[in-house]
Amino acid sequence: MTTTPARSPCWSTSSFGRAPDTTPQELCALGEHLSLCRGRHGRWSALSCAMQALRGIVAARAMTAWLVAGLLLAVVIAVS
């Protein structure tokens, strides 16, 4: 049985032999993207953060409540 030797991977980087640095066009596009993201979330970011914090608190308490309910159920079943 003959096998062909595995070839090493063949790829090229985005710098194409030049120094790996950002171009002015890339920086401009990144700046536009960041300003667009900030604009979309600017007014609602405080409310969003508050809602995420509330969700974390409720989730932690819900898990504790389920654990206590399970333990109580186990005790009731064990006693009866």
Side-chain angles (χ1 to χ4, degrees):
M1 175 179 208
T2 345
T3 59
T4 57
R7 290 196 265 164
S8 62
C10 179
W11 66 82
S12 62
T13 63
S14 62
S15 63
F16 297 111
R18 295 185 300 267
D21 198 11
T22 55
T23 64
Q25 293 87 5
E26 291 172 333
L27 291 175
C28 182
L30 179 62
E32 288 175 4
H33 174 76
L34 290 176
S35 59
L36 178 66
C37 287
R38 273 191 230 116
R40 286 188 177 171
H41 299 291
R43 286 182 264 171
W44 296 101
S45 66
L47 180 62
S48 175
C49 289
M51 292 303 293
Q52 287 178 357
L54 180 63
R55 180 179 175 210
I57 291 169
V58 168
R61 299 307 182 265
M63 198 63 191
T64 303
W66 281 108
L67 180 63
V68 169
L71 288 173
L72 286 174
L73 182 62
V75 168
V76 166
I77 290 173
V79 170
S80 34

